[in-house]
Amino acid sequence: MAKLIDGKGFSEQLVDRLKPAVADITKATGQPPGLAVVLVGEDPASRVYVRNKTERSKAAGLHSAEYRLPAETSQQEVLKLIDQLNRDASIHGILVQLPLPPQIEAAAVIQAIDPAKDVDGFHIVNAGLLATGQEALVPCTPWGCLLLLRDLLGDMSGLNAVILGRSNIVGKPMAQLLLAENATVTIAHSRSRDLPGLCRSADILVAAVGRPEMVKQDWIKPGAVVIDVGINRVPAPERGPDKFRLTGDVDFAGAEQVAAAITPVPGGVGPMTIACLLRNTIVAAARQGGVAINLTD
Ligand code: NDP
């Protein structure tokens, strides 16, 4: 039976380890690291994510500012807010919750964020720094996955890593991070052939497709480590009419029969994403304030 990777517990330890850095920055600059979270529209999942991010930031001693804009907000209005936040000295990290309503081009908004405050790590400057092996603000979800893998495996040199999904926010940066760990990396996507065969070659399998329980037990090499990034809401009639439950991209019950270790959904990658967001905000605040901090993760 696979070991359950406790992302929730790990993320709590990670946040505890961040606390001295928060205190150092606050003492040296006279203000705590500040995170601005921008939400446009009423997407229910986004509202939950934003609320969690704000609450966890406050609990970690950060200054947290939430900007909720109506769904019909224009791109120009969002860009104006970003410009204001770029110049706000109390804000060190800016996060715009995706997806955005159709009238707003996500790329234009992301590129308007000062790269030094881009705590999601989506700006092309940070993507380019990561791709060329330089110090970057790294996207939170893949960074969280990497911390779990490092904790579990230590050295990943020569291991076969297969990543399902090639998005800019998960799949591609995950590949860069695993390459930097000297894994042999394959990225698979909707046009890839023989997904089950590709997955069976993986010592490390990262699933980030957004398809509930797509990865089956017989896709998994015995002894592999499985990181399930997917968060899917599926109907749960057993809980009552109109009720949902969360499930990942991996058939958990099957996978845990063969994998060496697996992240649950919920309680695996999700909490790590938020912990890494706090970490990025603290790193950004330290750089902007010229404060030396010592983070080991
Ligand atoms: P995207 O929709 O941006 O990307 C999905 C990727 O999966 C694409 O590359 C797509 O291929 C590929 N894909 C889709 N269907 C298939 C298929 N049938 N076979 C093979 N590949 C397929 O999603 P994200 O990367 O943003 O998110 C992925 C999942 O991770 C979602 O469930 C999301 O909710 C979750 N997530 C979780 C986070 C967390 O904190 N735990 C944070 C971010 C995301 P193609 O490019 O060819 O279309």
Side-chain angles (χ1 to χ4, degrees):
M1 206 59 137
K3 174 187 155 78
L4 202 62
I5 303 174
D6 179 13
K8 187 168 181 291
F10 193 99
S11 72
E12 284 163 6
Q13 290 168 21
L14 181 64
V15 173
D16 275 345
R17 291 197 296 277
L18 294 171
K19 284 183 178 157
V22 175
D24 288 350
I25 293 166
T26 308
K27 191 169 169 215
T29 65
Q31 59 181 11
L35 172 67
V37 182
V38 179
L39 173 64
V40 188
E42 297 291 328
D43 180 65
S46 293
R47 284 170 65 171
V48 174
Y49 295 147
V50 164
R51 196 181 60 223
N52 287 343
K53 286 167 185 173
T54 306
E55 281 174 6
R56 293 278 300 277
S57 314
K58 285 185 180 156
L62 274 62
H63 161 60
S64 181
E66 211 176 285
Y67 295 84
R68 288 172 176 256
L69 307 177
E72 61 278 8
T73 305
S74 69
Q75 178 165 313
Q76 209 177 358
E77 286 168 304
V78 178
L79 292 176
K80 198 169 151 210
L81 173 60
I82 300 293
D83 180 52
Q84 180 193 317
L85 295 170
N86 280 342
R87 288 184 282 106
D88 184 338
S90 72
I91 295 297
H92 308 94
I94 302 168
L95 177 150
V96 178
Q97 185 64 45
L98 302 178
L100 289 165
Q103 75 278 13
I104 303 172
E105 198 193 331
V109 172
I110 291 166
Q111 301 322 320
I113 297 172
D114 178 348
K117 296 190 177 186
D118 167 39
V119 285
D120 253 341
F122 297 163
H123 193 286
I124 50 172
V125 166
N126 283 310
L129 289 170
L130 177 64
T132 52
Q134 299 177 71
E135 204 167 307
L137 286 169
V138 177
C140 305
T141 299
W143 183 246
C145 296
L146 188 80
L147 293 182
L148 293 176
L149 286 167
R150 272 193 192 152
D151 181 59
L152 197 70
L153 295 170
D155 184 14
M156 286 173 249
S157 290
L159 293 182
N160 282 339
V162 174
I163 300 160
L164 288 177
R166 58 174 164 181
S167 71
N168 291 335
I169 67 173
V170 187
K172 285 181 197 157
M174 189 74 244
Q176 301 291 358
L177 291 170
L178 286 166
L179 268 182
E181 298 287 318
N182 300 313
T184 302
V185 179
T186 303
I187 307 181
H189 46 78
S190 66
R191 309 289 176 91
S192 297
R193 292 185 189 155
D194 187 19
L195 283 179
L198 279 176
C199 291
R200 272 192 293 271
S201 72
D203 303 304
I204 298 168
L205 179 61
V206 181
V209 284
R211 301 268 180 258
E213 299 176 4
M214 186 181 92
V215 176
K216 305 298 180 204
Q217 178 174 343
D218 64 354
W219 295 27
I220 296 167
K221 177 175 167 175
V225 174
V226 179
I227 304 290
D228 191 352
V229 180
I231 301 178
N232 307 290
R233 269 160 59 98
V234 296
E238 72 281 5
R239 294 183 183 178
D242 304 327
K243 293 288 181 195
F244 287 85
R245 67 182 169 90
L246 292 183
T247 186
D249 290 342
V250 178
D251 167 19
F252 183 87
E256 71 170 347
Q257 306 295 320
V258 282
I262 184 168
T263 55
V265 178
V269 174
M272 290 300 291
T273 298
I274 300 189
C276 291
L277 171 69
L278 305 186
R279 181 193 180 281
N280 276 354
T281 306
I282 291 161
V283 168
R287 286 187 194 148
Q288 287 161 52
V291 183
I293 53 166
N294 183 21
L295 295 182
T296 46
D297 314 88

